[in-house]
Amino acid sequence: MLVKDNPNDQGQAIVITWTHPAPESLLGFRIFRSTSPTGDFTPVEPELLNRTDYLDTDTLLRDGVAYYYLIRAYSANDSASSAVAGPVIARAQWFNASRLNVLVLTLIISALFIYYILRARQGKQMFIRKISGLDAIDDALGRATEMGKPILFSFGLGYITDMVVIAALPLLRRIGKKSAEYAVRLIVPNSDPIVMTAAQETVKEAYTEAGRPDLYNPDNITFVTSDQFGYAAGVDGIILRERPGAIFWLGYFYAESLILAETGHTVGAIQLAGTTETTQLPFFVAACDYTMIGEEIYAASCYLKPEPVMLGTIKGEDFIKMLLIFIITVLVFFGTAATLLNRNIPSLQTVFEAIVNWFSPPS
Amino acid sequence: MFQRSIPLFIVLFTALLLIVAFFIPHKPFGDLESRFLNWYAIISGFTFLLGLDSLTRHHLLKVIRREKGWFYSLLLVLSLFATLTVGLYSWVKFSSPFALRAPFMWLYKYMIIPLQATMFATLAFFIFSAAYRAFRIRNLGATLLLIAACLVMLGNVPLGSSIWQRISQLVHLVFPNTRLDLLYQIELFAQIKDWLMAIPQAAAGRGIGIGLALGGIAMSLRIILGIERTYLSS
């Protein structure tokens, strides 16, 4: 039996491991704890355990106190106790060692981003490739204006804590400004009240910036429901009644994405979509006129307001992507070589596995 | 000036605090994330009043102004208050509106769930119409997409397996030396589907995933460093 402090935690946890004595008649184990090696041992888990490890996170457990454990094995007619193990003291750690890989990568990535931001601040010219989905915004707005139809914008089921919703806000601002200039009604049905409030503020600012605050009507930016298919039904109803000329699906979408986009297609709206939910991208590609794939939606604010500092972050992102492609390529060759030469040089496989494990997600 | 700088400072401070908390399990950092999420849940709970206000006001105005479709708005408002009344009654009568025998749960079981299921079921028809447009043979890319989609579908359904059995029997007729049981075992459509999903699809998905992760980091840094301020309407 082995007892130790649970590593990388905030304390009040002790790990107990033991070896199974193997007889088939064994029903299970019960763990007992005491603050003294000879004191009263009380059970920490009322159920019989049929495994060889246990994490004691009892609320009575205190950090800095020495504990002793023993384990008792039970069969139908008999029981036997192990020797007392301990003392063991639970402690809170100041650093989660299992997240060292994240720390190292965060520092490298942040350093590269900051380097490119500083370079951009020094006046270095940056180039951003054409994003056709973003270029299509003005065309879609123009078409809706010509047809005299409203514009619909949806964040889907996104919350304000979702990065994609924050990334979509500048797009809403841009669309809001244009819709104010063209005097076209902008409808924003929401599934989250906080997002609704943010959208109302953004559109209001955009209308003021366009010099048409009189056109702003908060009734166009409303709450529908937070229920997934209730939202889909509500927005479908709005589409069929209002028949918008342009629809923007920018945010977080799940299974309702195709229901929404196909209804938009039915009324003949020009549709532009962008989501970070990769499982929904094929549906948008199939049903919409333009789809922003992958990080394009995150690049939107830099694309629409191409300030050097903003573009610096895109440059940094591209450099890191190149670096990752290089690392993946090297590891593919290394892994292949390790597999092929495993018989002659087994250590290669060990090194390869250690590298791959280092990159694996932390606990 | 402070209207802009104070929110930016709060964002920077909170972000740094959460980053530090990710690496330090020791108190007071360890449970910061869950505490923040609890606060968010409390705040968002209150903001549902805003949502309720928005929804009822919007539809009541439609009813009062007799706008197009006002009758549906009236139905929505009446349903909303009927649900609230039934919920309150269930709460008083059964101590909880979610008690199994409570009328509020009947509403949930016999109205909300069937309505949700109906809406979800319409997805099947929409998939069909979207697939029809996406898979029309217009160019080489669309043709490859159509072939890949057909193979994946055949690999996923029992029909693919029975087609493969017929093909195996034909092969066995033409080449009698081949063993039929071995041909059956090959399950070609299932193997092609597995390969398509595990190699080209997974590679494309991971590529997009890496891009999204980096885009997310870049966006976070822009927000933390105060470069991206559109969320503050500036």
Side-chain angles (χ1 to χ4, degrees):
Chain A
M1 184 183 185
L2 193 72
V3 286
K4 64 173 185 177
D5 172 36
N6 188 43
N8 307 317
D9 69 352
Q10 53 180 327
Q12 289 183 282
I14 289 170
V15 188
I16 303 127
T17 49
W18 61 91
T19 48
H20 199 292
E24 283 177 11
S25 59
L26 204 68
L27 292 175
F29 306 93
R30 193 165 284 165
I31 293 165
F32 295 82
R33 187 183 66 215
S34 170
T35 49
S36 146
T38 53
D40 282 342
F41 279 87
T42 50
V44 293
E45 170 64 56
E47 299 291 322
L48 278 179
L49 303 166
N50 272 311
R51 54 178 201 253
T52 56
D53 65 312
Y54 181 74
L55 182 65
D56 185 8
T57 53
D58 187 356
T59 48
L60 295 172
L61 201 73
R62 293 281 168 266
D63 287 352
V65 177
Y67 290 102
Y68 298 84
Y69 286 86
L70 68 81
I71 189 163
R72 191 168 290 161
Y74 290 85
S75 65
N77 309 315
D78 203 5
S79 70
S81 296
S82 71
V84 173
V88 58
I89 296 169
R91 287 185 203 286
Q93 273 71 50
W94 280 102
F95 180 69
N96 187 341
S98 70
R99 290 177 176 173
L100 180 68
N101 53 358
V102 181
L103 180 66
V104 172
L105 288 172
T106 305
L107 290 174
I108 293 171
I109 290 171
S110 304
L112 282 166
F113 271 121
I114 290 164
Y115 169 73
Y116 278 104
I117 290 169
L118 290 175
R119 268 187 76 179
R121 277 217 167 112
Q122 285 166 359
K124 180 88 183 161
Q125 285 299 308
M126 304 276 177
F127 166 77
I128 186 164
R129 75 169 164 84
K130 217 169 146 57
I131 300 176
S132 50
L134 292 169
D135 285 338
I137 290 177
D138 290 346
D139 296 341
L141 293 172
R143 204 180 128 190
T145 311
E146 281 170 13
M147 295 167 84
K149 290 181 169 182
I151 298 158
L152 190 132
F153 186 104
S154 169
F155 291 102
L157 302 177
Y159 297 105
I160 203 74
T161 44
D162 293 323
M163 195 65 78
V164 67
V165 172
I166 297 174
L169 279 172
L171 290 167
L172 176 65
R173 191 185 170 98
R174 161 85 165 218
I175 292 160
K177 196 178 166 194
K178 289 278 176 189
S179 71
E181 284 168 4
Y182 300 158
V184 187
R185 195 153 74 96
L186 172 63
I187 306 164
V188 189
N190 294 280
S191 68
D192 180 67
I194 300 182
V195 175
M196 178 192 77
T197 316
Q200 283 176 340
E201 280 296 312
T202 305
V203 175
K204 197 174 170 183
E205 289 270 341
Y207 275 52
T208 311
E209 203 178 309
R212 298 300 306 269
D214 53 307
L215 288 179
Y216 173 70
N217 180 4
D219 264 356
N220 289 328
I221 304 160
T222 52
F223 175 72
V224 179
T225 170
S226 54
D227 178 78
Q228 183 184 15
F229 291 110
Y231 181 75
V235 176
D236 274 3
I238 293 170
I239 292 172
L240 293 172
R241 281 193 303 276
E242 306 284 352
R243 307 188 84 79
I247 303 179
F248 298 91
W249 306 113
L250 299 165
Y252 225 91
F253 294 87
Y254 297 93
E256 77 289 351
S257 65
L258 194 62
I259 298 173
L260 296 169
E262 273 299 285
T263 311
H265 179 265
T266 316
V267 299
I270 183 164
Q271 298 191 95
L272 196 150
T275 181
T276 50
E277 193 59 21
T278 47
T279 49
Q280 302 308 319
L281 278 174
F283 294 131
F284 277 143
V285 170
C288 296
D289 300 279
Y290 296 96
T291 308
M292 281 184 255
I293 294 173
E295 72 274 28
E296 284 182 343
I297 193 165
Y298 288 135
S301 55
C302 307
Y303 190 80
L304 298 175
K305 206 162 78 173
E307 289 172 2
V309 179
M310 298 274 261
L311 292 177
T313 59
I314 303 280
K315 185 84 178 168
E317 196 183 317
D318 283 348
F319 183 81
I320 295 161
K321 214 183 284 175
M322 206 173 69
L323 196 69
L324 283 175
I325 291 169
F326 174 75
I327 292 171
I328 290 168
T329 313
V330 169
L331 277 177
V332 164
F333 280 109
F334 188 61
T336 312
T339 310
L340 293 174
L341 303 172
N342 193 28
R343 193 174 287 175
N344 301 325
I345 321 170
S347 55
L348 273 181
Q349 190 69 25
T350 317
V351 173
F352 174 70
E353 278 168 14
I355 296 170
V356 172
N357 287 339
W358 191 82
F359 279 103
S360 66
S363 56
Chain B
M1 181 194 163
F2 288 114
Q3 267 187 327
R4 291 280 178 255
S5 54
I6 290 175
L8 285 176
F9 174 76
I10 292 170
V11 169
L12 177 71
F13 180 73
T14 314
L16 291 178
L17 205 61
L18 283 171
I19 291 169
V20 167
F22 182 78
F23 296 106
I24 299 177
H26 202 287
K27 279 176 186 167
F29 301 102
D31 56 353
L32 266 185
E33 196 183 338
S34 60
R35 270 172 199 267
F36 275 42
L37 283 173
N38 285 342
W39 291 347
Y40 177 78
I42 293 165
I43 293 166
S44 64
F46 279 107
T47 58
F48 265 91
L49 291 173
L50 277 177
L52 192 67
D53 169 63
S54 160
L55 188 75
T56 43
R57 193 147 31 131
H58 177 73
H59 288 281
L60 277 175
L61 280 174
K62 275 183 91 172
V63 175
I64 293 163
R65 290 175 188 157
R66 290 285 194 278
E67 284 178 23
K68 194 180 159 192
W70 66 271
F71 183 70
Y72 298 107
S73 293
L74 181 67
L75 271 181
L76 186 138
V77 175
L78 289 176
S79 309
L80 186 76
F81 284 104
T83 310
L84 185 70
T85 313
V86 172
L88 285 173
Y89 170 76
S90 305
W91 193 11
V92 173
K93 176 103 181 177
F94 298 93
S95 307
S96 162
F98 303 107
L100 285 177
R101 288 185 302 122
F104 186 75
M105 282 306 280
W106 299 348
L107 280 181
Y108 181 69
K109 273 167 74 177
Y110 303 118
M111 287 197 76
I112 305 290
I113 292 178
L115 282 170
Q116 283 178 329
T118 309
M119 201 63 206
F120 190 36
T122 59
L123 188 58
F125 300 99
F126 288 126
I127 286 175
F128 186 78
S129 62
Y132 170 73
R133 286 205 314 280
F135 296 150
R136 268 179 308 179
I137 300 174
R138 290 160 303 187
N139 49 39
L140 180 69
T143 314
L144 285 174
L145 190 69
L146 173 68
I147 295 167
C150 288
L151 288 168
V152 169
M153 280 190 279
L154 284 174
N156 266 330
V157 294
L159 179 69
S161 183
S162 43
I163 290 174
W164 176 246
Q165 285 191 4
R166 295 279 182 278
I167 294 171
S168 302
Q169 286 161 3
L170 275 174
V171 173
H172 183 66
L173 273 176
V174 180
F175 304 103
N177 288 336
T178 51
R179 275 179 59 190
L180 194 59
D181 58 325
L182 285 179
L183 282 172
Y184 282 162
Q185 277 175 24
I186 292 172
E187 284 285 357
L188 191 67
F189 293 125
Q191 288 204 30
I192 292 172
K193 184 263 303 182
D194 287 346
W195 183 84
L196 282 171
M197 298 305 282
I199 312 293
Q201 191 277 139
R206 281 176 192 159
I208 294 172
I210 290 171
L212 278 172
L214 287 173
I217 296 171
M219 183 82 191
S220 309
L221 270 174
R222 284 202 294 270
I223 292 170
I224 293 170
L225 298 174
I227 298 167
E228 171 77 64
R229 299 175 186 193
T230 34
Y231 69 97
L232 290 172
S233 298
S234 61

